[in-house]
Amino acid sequence: MSTVAPTQLPLRPPAHQVSPRAVRWWQLRAALALLFVVTPQVVVLLVMGGDAPGWLAVTAGVTGALIATYGILVPPILYRIHRWEITDDAVYTMSGWLVREWRIAPISRVQTVDTAHGPLQQLLKLASVTVTTASAKGPVTINGLDAKDAAELARTLTVTTQATPGDAT
Amino acid sequence: MSPEVDAEVEVEAPTAVETPWRRLDVRMLVVGPLGSLGRLLPVVVILLITGQGDVTRLWIALAVAVLVVLAGVVRWRTTRYRITAERVELHSGWLNRQRRSVPRDRIRTVDLTAKLLHRAFGLSTVQVSSASKAVADASGQLSLDAVSKAEADLLRRELLDRSPASDAAPTSPAVAAGPPPAQELARLDWSWLRYAPLTFSSLAGIGAIGATAFNLVDDLGVDPRDIGAVDAAAERLGSAPVWLAVLVVVTVVLALAVVGALLLFAERWYDYRLTREPAGWGAGSGTLRVKRGLLTRRSLSVSEDRLRGAEIIEPLLLRAGRGAQCRALSSGLPGDAQGGALQPPAPRAEAHRVASVALREHPSQITEATLRRHPRAALTRRMTRALMPTAVLVAVAFVLGSVLPPVAWLGPWSLLLVPVAVFLGFDRYRNLGHELTARYLVSRQGSAVRQTVALQRTGVIGWTFRQSIFQRRSGLVTLEAVTAAGQGGYTVLDVAAQDAVALADAATPHLLTPFLLRA
């Protein structure tokens, strides 16, 4: 990527990728969605047997196929897109699939650093780090980090932000 | 609830001089219950009217009154507040105790409101707003309902005066010596009343009048159909040709809307004045103050060094009438439609002038800057986004028309939407623009409501670049400047990818440098 096409955003991607286990996490979430959407339809189909309306089998098949396709194809793409980087001055992240998002927040404006582990993330030893600034639209979240990396990241960020006063409110 | 914990520590700590707690004004013993009774009045009246001669109903009404009075006494007895050198603290409640504390250096705005009843007794409600992450987060807010007018004014000055010297002495000599002269920046011109029907509040106007009238009629237990005049009018309308009936109804609704808008304008903006009060020490920044209101008097004070910019709002009708409204960008302002309004709907030039005097900048440096146009691809995108939903609607209308013969006219008529969509798409593109001036980032967008935002470059606390797959194909990107003030972020819509990065890089030097491709 030495030359930039005129239509491309002239920003280099952040340095680090998230944990490779994040792919599993996104797949598991798709599987859960599959469970929640398709199971009720299948149950109704089984209970009603021959009386079930014909379209129900169609919707169950279509939603199931869609979510399954998403679960197989999209997580590897997400893994390639999601990146993050912390410098001495800024937090820089890239995320999104259909709508891509680059976020930059100056370290000097960071107010809080939160680490969160959902049940699925705990299972995979992953964590999310959320960096909040004074803005209502400010929070920068890095999902699918290795739990150890996340803890280390939160610690460094907290130390750095305590050293810089003021939050431009 | 970390603020509470902090407050506890503060109270327990052996401070040199313990600041005494203060009570709300004693007149609240009368005003509080009267206000509650006012709200209960319709119920009580109905209770008394419908149960003629029934003694138990009288007793119930009496018991309600006694309870209301008692609640007022308990509320007054249990509410205490104090202002220490660092914090404003409020303790309230009896069974459900609440302790709220706001650090003084985080206070951004102070809002004084005096409803009719409060005014009759010379009282005023003080609402203190601090910078807080979430706009809806109540922990950053603290309301004293109510203190005497003089006390409210004193509190307002004291809480917003954050010049270095006042840190040491919470009650500064300037406060004690009385108000320094305020400089008037703008006042109401009654000819602006012509803009009232052009704002969206005129719709709210009809709603308000309609709801009040209906409530009144309903509370009295009368069915509108029983009123002779209404019934006769309805009958005459029913027998008239359809087009005449529609015409009459539309005319009546429009007339009501105009009257409602005029009344609302008068209630909201009567005796409007925008002033600047210099800081107590001559140095540093002052306070912008908006005073207004006929029945309910309001006063909004914004600390000037917390002002992050201004915004010119032009709803379509108002824009057609060459009017506009200026709003302040600051954290701690309420997020509703009136939040941060520095003036009523006024002539466009006046709106830009108010923005200019409020920010102490030449208009060409802020809201009247010559803006850069956005690339042609943005026009294509605006057009697509306006026409796609229209095409779907038209298709649906034609399908419906062919399926249901009685509404066959739907299809051809829906074609009228197409020119409207084309106009909106083109207008949205025409209004797009941005520029970076010496100290401000200026951005304009929108058609139904055109917004021109001037945001201080130093107020930007982050950037978000957003690009959908369609934008990627046409080389556009939506840039959002993240800030603590106002809505939290202001966008520059559909700007060329290269320009977006160049703009952000120029607005906040050094921040993006390490991430740029090709130095």
Side-chain angles (χ1 to χ4, degrees):
Chain A
M1 293 237 277
S2 54
T3 53
V4 186
T7 60
Q8 219 179 343
L9 205 62
L11 285 177
R12 69 166 172 78
H16 312 292
Q17 284 196 295
V18 296
S19 163
R21 288 196 304 279
V23 178
R24 275 274 164 273
W25 179 53
W26 285 311
Q27 283 171 342
L28 272 178
R29 292 216 302 190
L32 275 185
L34 196 69
L35 214 65
F36 278 117
V37 174
V38 180
T39 318
Q41 305 187 54
V42 171
V43 168
V44 172
L45 276 176
L46 289 179
V47 170
M48 292 181 72
D51 302 331
W55 54 262
L56 193 58
V58 177
T59 55
V62 169
T63 47
L66 275 180
I67 299 176
T69 318
Y70 173 91
I72 293 164
L73 292 183
V74 177
I77 301 177
L78 287 177
Y79 174 66
R80 254 181 287 143
I81 294 172
H82 281 238
R83 304 180 73 99
W84 61 276
E85 183 174 346
I86 311 274
T87 67
D88 288 344
D89 304 313
V91 181
Y92 176 31
T93 65
M94 188 175 163
S95 62
W97 170 46
L98 293 177
V99 179
R100 236 169 253 190
E101 212 173 75
W102 293 256
R103 281 174 164 261
I104 298 170
I107 294 268
S108 56
R109 308 300 199 205
V110 170
Q111 283 190 336
T112 60
V113 182
D114 299 321
T115 326
H117 316 251
L120 280 183
Q121 297 203 60
Q122 282 184 32
L123 202 70
L124 295 163
K125 296 202 165 46
L126 293 174
S128 305
V129 172
T130 304
V131 177
T132 323
T133 60
S135 167
K137 291 193 177 162
V140 179
T141 303
I142 313 170
N143 284 318
L145 285 173
D146 184 273
K148 266 189 220 140
D149 291 354
E152 177 62 24
L153 179 62
R155 211 181 50 79
T156 6
L157 270 178
T158 313
V159 171
T160 328
T161 51
Q162 271 169 359
T164 40
D167 56 13
T169 58
Chain B
M1 287 262 114
S2 58
E4 288 182 12
V5 177
D6 288 355
E8 287 301 342
V9 173
E10 204 93 34
V11 175
E12 248 60 273
T15 38
V17 188
E18 189 82 8
T19 318
W21 288 91
R22 292 187 251 179
R23 284 239 162 88
L24 297 179
D25 196 278
V26 70
R27 279 167 284 189
M28 273 315 281
L29 283 174
V30 181
V31 174
L34 269 182
S36 312
L37 280 180
R39 258 167 277 146
L40 287 173
L41 196 63
V43 183
V44 174
V45 165
I46 288 170
L47 213 63
L48 289 178
I49 288 177
T50 53
Q52 281 152 344
D54 192 345
V55 188
T56 47
R57 283 170 190 262
L58 198 67
W59 282 116
I60 293 175
L62 209 66
V64 168
V66 170
L67 273 181
V68 164
V69 171
L70 268 180
V73 174
V74 167
R75 186 171 165 277
W76 182 80
R77 284 280 303 175
T78 52
T79 306
R80 297 180 303 165
Y81 71 95
R82 67 174 180 179
I83 291 149
T84 67
E86 284 89 27
R87 292 174 168 277
V88 181
E89 294 172 278
L90 173 70
H91 289 190
S92 64
W94 177 38
L95 295 174
N96 178 21
R97 264 184 218 178
Q98 282 195 326
R99 298 176 162 215
R100 196 154 270 182
S101 137
V102 173
R104 284 184 63 182
D105 62 350
R106 314 222 72 204
I107 293 173
R108 300 297 178 257
T109 60
V110 176
D111 216 336
L112 306 188
T113 312
K115 291 185 193 148
L116 202 54
L117 191 62
H118 283 72
R119 284 179 70 190
F121 284 83
L123 297 177
S124 197
T125 305
V126 181
Q127 170 122 14
V128 177
S129 301
S130 73
S132 127
K133 267 171 282 170
V135 175
D137 186 2
S139 67
Q141 307 247 324
L142 189 148
S143 173
L144 303 178
D145 183 11
V147 295
S148 75
K149 237 170 164 169
E151 170 81 0
D153 212 48
L154 221 106
L155 281 174
R156 187 182 68 81
R157 313 181 64 82
E158 199 177 321
L159 291 179
L160 282 175
D161 192 7
R162 296 302 295 166
S163 45
S166 75
D167 279 342
T171 313
S172 58
V175 170
Q183 174 196 359
E184 181 173 290
L185 304 180
R187 61 160 58 231
L188 184 67
D189 179 340
W190 279 106
S191 69
W192 297 346
L193 207 56
R194 66 183 187 272
Y195 294 110
L198 301 180
T199 55
F200 283 109
S201 64
S202 57
L203 291 178
I206 320 180
I209 290 187
T212 314
F214 186 80
N215 267 341
L216 204 69
V217 171
D218 196 48
D219 280 347
L220 295 173
V222 180
D223 187 328
R225 275 166 297 183
D226 293 347
I227 301 173
V230 174
D231 197 38
E235 204 154 284
R236 230 172 294 151
L237 260 185
S239 57
V242 176
W243 63 267
L244 190 63
V246 169
L247 199 72
V248 168
V249 169
V250 166
T251 314
V252 167
V253 167
L254 269 182
L256 271 182
V258 169
V259 171
L262 294 178
L263 287 179
L264 259 184
F265 185 98
E267 151 64 9
R268 278 185 184 153
W269 296 105
Y270 175 82
D271 199 21
Y272 150 77
R273 275 161 53 102
L274 173 66
T275 53
R276 171 183 285 128
E277 291 169 358
W281 306 88
S285 63
T287 303
L288 283 179
R289 183 175 193 200
V290 182
K291 273 206 282 188
R292 62 196 178 88
L294 178 61
L295 300 178
T296 300
R297 284 297 284 171
R298 283 172 204 283
S299 141
L300 171 71
S301 305
V302 182
S303 167
E304 231 185 335
D305 55 355
R306 301 303 183 182
L307 203 59
R308 289 283 166 261
E311 185 179 25
I312 303 285
I313 309 281
E314 294 160 284
L316 196 59
L317 272 179
L318 191 59
R319 179 149 60 100
R322 305 190 60 77
Q325 188 175 22
C326 175
R327 297 210 309 215
L329 298 190
S330 166
S331 52
L333 287 174
D336 59 29
Q338 293 294 307
L342 287 182
Q343 62 175 174
R348 189 175 297 158
E350 170 68 10
H352 287 290
R353 188 190 70 81
V354 162
S356 156
V357 290
L359 297 180
R360 303 184 199 243
E361 289 279 350
H362 192 269
S364 70
Q365 287 295 304
I366 46 169
T367 50
E368 273 191 321
T370 320
L371 301 183
R372 273 179 228 220
R373 306 293 295 267
H374 288 198
R376 294 293 287 186
L379 173 62
T380 321
R381 202 170 126 74
R382 286 300 115 202
M383 279 301 182
T384 326
R385 290 182 59 122
L387 283 173
M388 286 300 266
T390 316
V392 172
L393 277 180
V394 170
V396 167
F398 268 102
V399 168
L400 266 182
S402 64
V403 174
L404 305 167
V407 288
W409 51 269
L410 260 182
W413 276 90
S414 71
L415 286 176
L416 282 179
L417 286 176
V418 176
V420 174
V422 169
F423 165 76
L424 277 181
F426 185 70
D427 192 47
R428 289 210 70 188
Y429 169 69
R430 217 182 39 158
N431 286 333
L432 286 182
H434 71 272
E435 183 56 272
L436 194 66
T437 65
R439 277 181 293 275
Y440 285 83
L441 167 67
V442 187
S443 162
R444 174 183 294 159
Q445 67 179 75
S447 175
V449 180
R450 184 166 84 171
Q451 290 170 289
T452 311
V453 174
L455 178 66
Q456 250 175 37
R457 287 158 66 164
T458 49
V460 177
I461 56 171
W463 296 98
T464 304
F465 299 86
R466 232 174 253 122
Q467 195 173 45
S468 70
I469 41 173
F470 302 112
Q471 282 178 308
R472 206 173 318 158
R473 207 174 300 159
S474 43
L476 298 174
V477 66
T478 297
L479 173 66
E480 183 175 54
V482 175
T483 172
Q487 291 161 17
Y490 291 92
T491 54
V492 184
L493 202 62
D494 283 344
V495 61
Q498 302 271 343
D499 296 347
V501 173
L503 178 67
D505 187 35
T508 51
H510 312 306
L511 181 61
L512 271 73
T513 318
F515 311 125
L516 293 179
L517 271 185
R518 289 194 308 167

